[in-house]
Amino acid sequence: MATGVDDCTRAAGGSRDARLPRRVVELGVEKAFEVLAAARRLEAAGRTVIHLEAGEPDFPTPPHIVEAGIQALRDGLTTYTQSSGIQPLRVAIAESMLERGVLAQSDNVVVTPGSKLALFHVLTALLEPGDEVLLPDPGYPAYAAVTTFAGGVSVPYIVDPDTGVDVDAIASRIGPRTRILVINSPHNPTGHALDEPALERLAELAERHDLMVLSDEIYRQLSFDGVPPVSIASLPGMAARTVIVDGFSKAYAMTGWRLGYGVMPIWLADAVGKLMNNSAACVAPFVQVAGIAALQGPQDAVHAMRDEFRLRRDLIVARLNTIPGVHCATPGGAFYVFPDMRAALKGATADGVADALLYERGVGCLAGTAFGDAGHGYLRFSYVRSRADLSTAMDRVEAEIRAL
Ligand code: PLP
């Protein structure tokens, strides 16, 4: 019996693909959202799932940030703002760049609904049809999806969970059409962080070949080995050719608030501001005020979350490495592990194992192929659940592997 619109037969359904442009039909999507939706359907049917699929902290947004947002609503901040963001937040973001050794002004900053839209607008603003974008494989799926959507061509470079990035391999892929180098440190999905010598060599390549660099630093505050990684924008001359993409989702546990930003040369910030004007118009003002509280308020909740993620990392890495045939590198940051399952699969695929884990054993995770061709034979677990849940989940992973 139909109980609501979602239960009705889709009267206007059927395939619309024939009427959609190719670039839309072929637009990639982030698999994490699909697996999360499948897990939610299982839960609605009474099953329990340990959610290790989505890149979303299980901690609440720190209370002082929530209060700042609520107070802003009570103060009547419910209207449109400037498309590039309210001035106090742009200033706060520009000031926060000093910690990375980057000199920025408010004019360099564009505030966006999530860093994902900053990525989208920056790539859309920069790419001419046929321009090439060097991007990590495995890597955050939106880089390749948006590159193709914007008429560009993805040129993947490998990020090895154990050894990271081979700068010479990147150099060998640069050609006359290369326009942008995308880097992500700490990296989703491997957790690998680029060290300063690698960044210096990448900066030198960018200078020599006149590339723009899109530096996705969203996991910067979730770095486990002492100081956060260096920002490539802090290296001599690099601020003029770098876009730092960052946001509040991960470090401040604010995924659903949708608040991110880009810091970039003014000519590009103006263009991205125009795209914001024509797309989201602006970020909700009370959300922007909450962002100021996040940046300028106490940071102890961020440090406590990071410390807990480090304990979880140690637990999950150690546990995965006890499973026969599984090899898991120790990530330097973010909250992901990307174990190499190839020696454990015995003819099965990591995609099949990911499905079995969800549907038969109640553990949500992603197959490495969700992050590019180099992900074949790997799984990604987000360690965004308690240590007790992680232990239970790893017992189930071991049982699944032993049953292959
Ligand atoms: N960049 C990377 C590397 C990510 O992993 C994510 C989210 O998972 C994002 C950007 C987008 O985050 P948000 O749009 O929530 O700021």
Side-chain angles (χ1 to χ4, degrees):
M1 189 184 72
T3 54
V5 284
D6 286 347
D7 299 318
C8 296
T9 308
R10 297 180 66 204
S15 169
R16 291 187 56 90
D17 279 9
R19 281 176 267 171
L20 289 169
R22 199 186 167 97
R23 70 179 192 288
V24 176
V25 175
E26 290 178 357
L27 180 61
V29 292
E30 200 182 332
K31 187 87 194 282
F33 285 91
E34 295 187 342
V35 177
L36 179 61
R40 294 260 185 261
R41 284 194 293 277
L42 289 176
E43 288 174 319
R47 303 268 300 277
T48 56
V49 177
I50 302 177
H51 291 275
L52 308 185
E53 70 280 12
E56 152 157 279
D58 54 333
F59 303 105
T61 304
H64 69 280
I65 301 175
V66 175
E67 285 310 319
I70 292 172
Q71 191 55 48
L73 274 170
R74 292 215 169 94
D75 291 344
L77 294 188
T78 55
T79 57
Y80 294 132
T81 75
Q82 303 92 308
S83 294
S84 295
I86 58 174
Q87 195 59 10
L89 178 57
R90 293 174 83 194
V91 169
I93 291 168
E95 281 173 354
S96 77
M97 289 297 121
L98 279 177
E99 222 181 88
R100 319 177 194 211
V102 176
L103 281 178
Q105 301 172 351
S106 59
D107 287 349
N108 297 114
V109 177
V110 184
V111 179
T112 51
S115 65
K116 210 172 194 180
L117 205 67
L119 290 171
F120 194 101
H121 285 337
V122 166
L123 289 170
T124 315
L126 283 176
L127 289 174
E128 296 277 6
D131 280 350
E132 292 179 3
V133 180
L134 282 159
L135 43 82
D137 182 9
Y140 183 55
Y143 306 140
V146 178
T147 293
T148 311
F149 184 73
V153 177
S154 296
V155 179
Y157 65 84
I158 299 293
V159 181
D160 184 290
D162 282 294
T163 55
V165 166
D166 176 352
V167 178
D168 291 331
I170 294 183
S172 73
R173 310 220 66 188
I174 296 175
R177 293 304 309 263
T178 312
R179 173 102 170 101
I180 304 176
L181 166 66
V182 177
I183 57 176
N184 173 212
S185 174
H187 171 250
N188 176 8
T190 66
H192 188 268
L194 289 162
D195 60 18
E196 198 162 346
L199 287 167
E200 278 167 359
R201 293 190 58 209
L202 290 172
E204 194 269 316
L205 284 178
E207 292 277 0
R208 182 152 28 110
H209 298 280
D210 194 20
L211 309 180
M212 290 296 292
V213 177
L214 194 161
S215 179
D216 184 339
E217 302 182 7
I218 195 159
Y219 297 104
R220 178 179 179 276
Q221 282 161 286
L222 300 174
S223 300
F224 303 132
D225 304 322
V227 285
V230 168
S231 173
I232 196 165
S234 69
L235 302 181
M238 286 305 290
R241 58 174 69 253
T242 302
V243 181
I244 293 176
V245 168
D246 202 339
F248 296 76
S249 290
K250 315 291 177 175
Y252 297 99
M254 292 177 72
T255 49
W257 293 72
R258 309 310 301 132
L259 185 59
Y261 57 87
V263 179
M264 60 201 92
I266 292 175
W267 57 268
L268 182 57
D270 288 346
V272 171
K274 273 203 289 188
L275 291 169
M276 270 296 290
N277 172 307
N278 282 292
S279 56
C282 64
V283 172
F286 47 92
V287 170
Q288 297 192 55
V289 169
I292 299 172
L295 289 178
Q296 296 185 339
Q299 302 295 305
D300 26 332
V302 180
H303 299 151
M305 287 189 267
R306 182 201 55 207
D307 292 347
E308 175 58 26
F309 282 131
R310 187 196 284 116
L311 293 172
R312 294 177 184 179
R313 173 199 69 173
D314 292 345
L315 181 151
I316 196 168
V317 169
R319 185 69 184 82
L320 280 164
N321 280 319
T322 65
I323 303 175
V326 177
H327 167 67
C328 184
T330 303
F335 38 58
Y336 308 110
V337 280
F338 201 64
D340 181 350
M341 311 297 290
R342 285 173 295 183
L345 289 174
K346 301 191 189 111
T349 63
D351 291 74
V353 171
D355 280 348
L357 283 171
L358 176 63
Y359 291 103
E360 287 157 36
R361 299 189 190 264
V363 176
C365 69
L366 298 181
T369 46
F371 300 90
D373 285 345
H376 277 285
Y378 290 78
L379 291 176
R380 189 197 77 170
F381 297 100
S382 307
Y383 39 95
V384 293
R385 286 295 177 268
S386 68
R387 278 174 268 162
D389 277 356
L390 289 177
S391 290
T392 308
M394 291 307 111
D395 290 345
R396 295 181 192 173
V397 173
E398 175 155 15
E400 180 58 30
I401 294 300
R402 287 188 183 278
L404 287 177

